Amino acid sequence: MELTVIPQIVKFASENTREIGDVLGIGPELRVRWAEGLLDKGPVEDTIFYAGEMYPVMGYAEGAFRLTKRLEGLMNINSLARIGPIMKKLRVYAIGARALWGKNNEIYENALRDAVYVLRNLGVKMSYLFEEEPPSGVALHTYGLLKEFKEHAKWVQNRFRELGVKRVITLDPIVTTAFRLYYPEFLEDWDVEVLHFVEIVAKRIAELGIKLKLGRKEKVTYHDPCYLARTLGIVDETRFILSRIDGLEYLEPPRHGVNTGCSGDGGLELTQPLLARKISLDRVKELRETGAEKVYTSCPACIMMLRTGFNALGYRTDVNDLASLIAEAMRNGIIEEKPATVKFRRYHVLPESPKPKSLDSDDLAELLLRETDRCKKCAFCNVECPVARALDKLESRSARGRMTLINSLVRGDPVRPEAVLDRLYSCVLCAQCSQTCPVGLHVQELIIYGRAYAIYSGKAGV
Amino acid sequence: MAELMLYTPVRLVSNELTYYLSLLLEVGVYMNGNSFDDAISEIKRKIGKKKVLIEPGDLYAYSLDASTERREAPGAIVRTYADEDVITTLKVADEKRIPVIPRGGGTSLTGASIPVVPKSIVLDLTPMDDIQVNIDDGYAMAEAGATVLQVDQACRNEGFFFPPDPASSRYATIGGALAENAGGLRGAKFGVMKNWVLAMEVVIPGGKKLRIGEPVLKWRWGPDLISLFIGSEGTLGVITRAWLRIYPLPEKVVRIMGVFNKLEDAGRAISEIRRRGYLPMMLELLDKETVDIVEEVLGYKFPKGEAMVIVDVDGPIEAVWRLARQVENVMKENRGKTETSDDPEKMKNLYLARQGAYAAVTRAYPSVLHEDITVPLSKLVDALRELDNLRRKYGLRMPVFGHAGDGNLHPDICFDPSDKAQARKAKEMFKKVGELAVRLGGAVSGEHGIGFVKKEIFLEEIKSVRGENYLELVRKVKRVLDPNGIMNPGKLWF
Ligand SMILES: Cc1cc2nc3c(=O)[nH]c(=O)nc-3n(C[C@H](O)[C@H](O)[C@H](O)COP(=O)(O)OP(=O)(O)OC[C@H]3O[C@@H](n4cnc5c(N)ncnc54)[C@H](O)[C@@H]3O)c2cc1C
Ligand code: SF4
Ligand code: SF4
């Protein structure tokens, strides 16, 4: 299908995801480098460590994101996206990216290596699929290309079956969400068990009854990634892990746990980089005000946004992956204490997902109309919407405004699908809105379905 | 003429049609597309094009508010960042006869903040949100777009608070709250917005800026123009900033919940609490249907009875528990079962039924007509009984809850819009509820305002109680301030 309503950059990202396996199109060669000599190939006891399509190459994305700042006013993101394919033809793309941004990529590759080190030391057996690791394709879901996502998910399911993968451990909370929540929605018999790194680490630390010794005093804070905390409800594990590291003075930011604040990613760094940066600065200031010397988190996109945010404000505060902190402490020393069973709660703060009968425009329309008609326009969802906050409450790019615009588009008001799509794409998918809506609308997922509708409906001119 | 009819809001009352059409003719703008485009170009040129939005993708987002009614999309949005933006817009719009709708949080439940005529400008005041708390002089200065909660929080940092607390305070703005004379839970003791404003700056059509009132605690010259703008729903001019009175934070608050087997007992307890002068900070009442729906939808469990009353008393630590016991005793004397606490977590639990009412009702029913009547306190029980009769007669669910401390009740009429018969019944019931309020000597709107949703019943109330002369007087006042009728046409009286 020729997709014409979507912006060039989304086209670029989705084609790369499907054809090359990562959003920027860096390619498998650089993607698997981090694991060389560290892990064996193929599943061990049905289990793999899954790097996903973000961590291994996030430093390149970070570099490109910094570049958009430099090019501000000279060139917009969509024109930039047109250069990508030309560079690929010239075969200078990946080489260029590595030369320019290889250094940026180190902390992300280290995070993966550290995660493997930690898991191994806790007695977890696993291996890695290297070039054969199929990308989760979550970017297709993010951008509303749901038919393509479904097709892709089927392919991944088959790949896992062929390779005998039954259990996946990953460091990436966005991938965890895709495998745990979206795949079962789009596939009939998805039965792969997917665990996030912190779930296993917290459980094993408790079972073994150990403490880790950092070997120095440090004031730290933790940024809960929205996918991990709000969507998956994983909060207790990270706090437990932090409490088991000796030497830390832990400082909680005002917005934390399931009420975490957005770091500005959610796909926005590609579609509207300037807005993404603005949102990240809001969070950066909040994290800095905790007085922490170091910020830790558990999501490649959050690391990127917070690193560039701290940098933009001229702060030296280092942002790193929680896995790297655990690894460092583990290398310094392990203190044996009494094993304990700890109960980690699973938080459920989001409403049930809306489900269309199919992905056909008519069925999408039916779902969207029914749901958005229930919206009371009370604006509770707007209060914490990070985009509305960053844009002085501009209604058309707020949570409530998006509900109104989706409704207008489906009803056939004279709004252009491209214009609606543009406003739907200026959403970081943080799901604050879904958490707050008194009516119980899953606003964030409706926005994704709204994107799909704008793309696939005949009205969209596809 | 036929062309004009097209632009007339569907809900328009027939006997108001003549007046409305004359207003349209007076404004005379709706037939002239060019003057609209000219006006927008001029505004863009003067205040900067980034503040003026004309893409339908932006306009349609501004075509709804919490009334969920849809009429017209605006022709343009002007986002104001400074007084000059407001002044310029009102000057140009007045010259070119373009309707202007001031908008804050857009949480009006009566369609007050959305256009009902085409080619209008929505003036979005939310970017103007500066707040300065001045403890020495006893006020907080807030720009129109600051939210009510932001003002309250800014005061709390200094050991004070801002008493009016509409349930929408997280997004409702100071401008919108003044223009709606909003009130909230604390109204039982602290009244509504009009009791808390010392001075305001307003811009009227033609772009003239006026300071009305004084930011001091005492001033006396009249006539008091502040009151004129309070509750004017954006039909006279635009409020750009206000100097608001603030109040010291109470040392301690204690919450008492009472459950009553009979409505009459609850009613007596409420009047007795008032009669004895306890002046509670909050005095809320929920009927059985409300408690039932909250239980059904949100899965909580509450003690059973015909009514639940929740009271907050505040004061110095030494005195507040004595006061709480007195309130408790009044409830017990009237056969109420009580629970009392000053522990924040427990207080939250005692409030759960009230807190969850809006969510439960809106979750369970695809459509809800939120009524908002006020009756004299002595008629509270009569009103509740009559509402119960209506409920039986029409066979629709209608939880009733509200600020019993000031006689303000919110009957929420629940229905399924796809069921035509139900929708018709709901509309009829809505009207009956309003009539009931008027009959008992009350008002059709306690705090949600009139907008265009309640215009019909409001004008009926005015005519029957006050007569045509009153209406004429108000319209004359309007013409002095807004001779071309550009401010928020189709709302309230106009
Ligand atoms: C869930 C919910 C709960 C609510 N609870 C309460 C409650 O407890 N008590 C209560 O009183 N109300 C309540 N309301 C109604 C509403 O929130 C209030 O009327 C509120 O004050 C409106 O503020 P706003 O900023 O959203 O105004 P808007 O809705 O934007 O505008 C309301 C009116 O004020 C005018 N206006 C806005 N700003 C200005 C300005 N700067 N200058 C001149 N005119 C202006 C508009 O033209 C319009 O006529 C509730 C609404 C909702 C959705
Ligand atoms: S909170 Fe829910 S009902 Fe209220 S405006 Fe947002 S989506 Fe609509
Ligand atoms: S609309 Fe919802 S998901 Fe999107 S940015 Fe706003 S709060 Fe987050």
Side-chain angles (χ1 to χ4, degrees), chain B residues 137-140 178 193-200 212-219 224 226 242-246:
Chain B
D137 293 333
Y139 65 73
L178 286 167
M193 284 302 283
K194 77 168 169 211
N195 307 113
W196 294 90
V197 52
L198 299 167
M200 300 196 302
I212 52 182
E214 292 297 339
V216 288
L217 297 179
K218 250 183 167 179
W219 56 272
D224 173 14
I226 291 184
W243 286 260
L244 305 159
R245 279 174 59 208
I246 57 181

Side-chain angles (χ1 to χ4, degrees), chain B residues 42-117:
Chain B
E42 191 177 338
I43 295 170
K44 271 189 186 165
R45 203 169 52 244
K46 288 186 170 149
I47 71 170
K49 60 175 189 266
K50 279 202 171 143
K51 296 179 191 164
V52 184
L53 313 175
I54 48 163
E55 154 66 48
D58 292 317
L59 302 179
Y60 272 83
Y62 285 84
S63 65
L64 277 105
D65 63 14
S67 67
T68 68
E69 296 283 342
R70 283 159 54 97
R71 289 298 177 267
E72 292 286 346
I77 314 296
V78 176
R79 308 201 78 212
T80 62
Y81 284 80
D83 287 5
E84 277 313 308
D85 302 340
V86 181
I87 293 171
T88 306
T89 308
L90 287 206
K91 188 163 186 295
V92 177
D94 199 38
E95 276 164 20
K96 302 273 200 304
R97 312 284 195 265
I98 312 282
V100 175
I101 297 103
R103 177 171 168 125
T107 65
S108 161
L109 290 162
T110 53
S113 58
I114 55 167
V116 295
V117 292

Side-chain angles (χ1 to χ4, degrees), chain A residues 392 396 400 413 423 438-439, chain B residues 58 60 70 79 81 105-106 363:
Chain A
D392 307 311
S396 44
R400 174 178 63 175
D413 286 336
R423 278 140 191 91
V439 178
Chain B
D58 292 317
Y60 272 83
R70 283 159 54 97
R79 308 201 78 212
Y81 284 80
R363 267 173 209 221

Side-chain angles (χ1 to χ4, degrees), chain A residues 152-450:
Chain A
H152 182 86
K154 265 194 204 138
W155 174 74
V156 173
Q157 184 178 32
N158 285 337
R159 288 297 294 148
F160 277 170
R161 281 194 181 147
E162 283 161 22
L163 296 162
V165 176
K166 295 213 172 113
R167 193 160 169 261
V168 165
I169 301 170
T170 177
L171 191 57
D172 186 331
I174 309 179
V175 158
T176 316
T177 305
F179 284 154
R180 246 196 224 173
L181 300 183
Y182 306 151
Y183 271 51
E185 262 179 43
F186 284 79
L187 300 173
E188 268 163 26
D189 41 3
W190 170 254
D191 55 3
V192 177
E193 187 192 5
V194 181
L195 291 164
H196 188 270
F197 169 77
V198 297
E199 291 177 283
I200 302 188
V201 172
K203 186 160 166 273
R204 288 299 292 151
I205 288 183
E207 282 168 0
L208 296 168
I210 54 169
K211 262 192 138 177
L212 311 176
K213 227 163 67 189
L214 186 61
R216 58 186 155 87
K217 292 256 169 274
E218 195 168 76
K219 289 184 183 171
V220 306
T221 189
Y222 180 77
H223 163 79
D224 288 278
C226 58
Y227 281 97
L228 192 67
R230 187 174 295 120
T231 308
L232 296 169
I234 300 174
V235 175
D236 290 359
E237 283 87 340
T238 47
R239 298 311 184 279
F240 173 74
I241 294 171
L242 287 162
S243 76
R244 305 300 285 176
I245 301 179
D246 234 19
L248 289 190
E249 185 186 334
Y250 181 65
L251 303 161
E252 194 77 272
R255 290 181 294 167
H256 62 266
V258 292
N259 297 313
T260 185
C262 179
S263 71
D265 186 84
L268 201 68
E269 78 286 5
L270 270 188
T271 51
Q272 321 221 353
L274 302 183
L275 180 56
R277 179 171 292 107
K278 211 166 169 195
I279 294 168
S280 75
L281 299 188
D282 203 23
R283 182 63 173 166
V284 162
K285 284 183 199 137
E286 185 178 342
L287 293 171
R288 183 173 158 84
E289 275 162 21
T290 61
E293 297 148 346
K294 273 202 172 168
V295 177
Y296 289 95
T297 184
S298 304
C299 167
C302 292
I303 297 178
M304 171 179 90
M305 293 313 295
L306 294 177
R307 274 170 68 84
T308 50
F310 273 103
N311 194 272
L313 292 181
Y315 301 143
R316 291 254 180 98
T317 319
D318 203 17
V319 183
N320 213 332
D321 200 287
L322 182 64
S324 294
L325 174 70
I326 306 170
E328 187 190 346
M330 202 172 250
R331 285 188 189 106
N332 252 310
I334 296 177
I335 312 164
E336 308 269 345
E337 285 183 2
K338 260 213 338 257
T341 33
V342 181
K343 176 122 187 62
F344 301 112
R345 283 163 297 181
R346 204 43 88 245
Y347 297 85
H348 293 284
V349 294
L350 299 184
E352 228 177 278
S353 296
K355 287 191 184 57
K357 279 198 216 99
S358 79
L359 293 175
D360 293 342
S361 290
D362 288 350
D363 287 333
L364 287 174
E366 198 255 342
L367 171 92
L368 290 169
L369 200 60
R370 187 182 65 222
E371 292 291 304
T372 55
D373 268 349
R374 285 171 61 212
C375 167
K376 299 287 169 211
K377 306 286 170 247
C378 66
F380 287 8
C381 54
N382 276 9
V383 179
E384 289 293 330
C385 172
V387 178
R389 276 164 67 128
L391 295 175
D392 307 311
K393 300 189 179 164
L394 175 61
E395 183 71 21
S396 44
R397 292 180 196 272
S398 70
R400 174 178 63 175
R402 290 187 245 273
M403 290 299 94
T404 310
L405 286 177
I406 291 174
N407 193 282
S408 271
L409 180 66
V410 179
R411 272 170 189 274
D413 286 336
V415 286
R416 290 181 305 123
E418 295 89 321
V420 174
L421 195 58
D422 176 54
R423 278 140 191 91
L424 298 181
Y425 274 152
S426 67
C427 153
V428 290
L429 302 180
C430 66
Q432 275 278 0
C433 43
S434 307
Q435 187 176 359
T436 346
C437 177
V439 178
L441 296 184
H442 203 322
V443 182
Q444 179 235 32
E445 291 203 350
L446 291 172
I447 288 170
I448 295 177
Y449 283 116

Side-chain angles (χ1 to χ4, degrees), chain B residues 102 104-108 112-113 125 167-168 173 176-177 179-180 182-183 233-234 237 239 447 488:
Chain B
T107 65
S108 161
S113 58
L125 287 128
S168 51
T173 63
E180 292 280 0
E233 300 195 4
I239 300 161
E447 54 182 22
N488 210 357

Side-chain angles (χ1 to χ4, degrees), chain B residues 70-193:
Chain B
R70 283 159 54 97
R71 289 298 177 267
E72 292 286 346
I77 314 296
V78 176
R79 308 201 78 212
T80 62
Y81 284 80
D83 287 5
E84 277 313 308
D85 302 340
V86 181
I87 293 171
T88 306
T89 308
L90 287 206
K91 188 163 186 295
V92 177
D94 199 38
E95 276 164 20
K96 302 273 200 304
R97 312 284 195 265
I98 312 282
V100 175
I101 297 103
R103 177 171 168 125
T107 65
S108 161
L109 290 162
T110 53
S113 58
I114 55 167
V116 295
V117 292
K119 298 234 164 172
S120 60
I121 295 174
V122 165
L123 200 65
D124 176 7
L125 287 128
T126 50
M128 288 174 72
D129 63 356
D130 190 32
I131 300 170
Q132 282 160 28
V133 181
N134 183 337
I135 300 294
D136 291 337
D137 293 333
Y139 65 73
M141 190 291 296
E143 286 187 333
T147 67
V148 178
L149 189 68
Q150 280 168 343
V151 172
D152 187 45
Q153 275 164 347
C155 295
R156 275 170 199 265
N157 297 340
E158 314 272 346
F160 282 69
F161 77 115
F162 182 62
D165 58 339
S168 51
S169 67
R170 282 186 295 173
Y171 214 67
T173 63
I174 288 296
L178 286 167
E180 292 280 0
N181 197 13
L185 295 172
R186 297 195 279 253
K189 176 168 183 169
F190 292 108
V192 290
M193 284 302 283

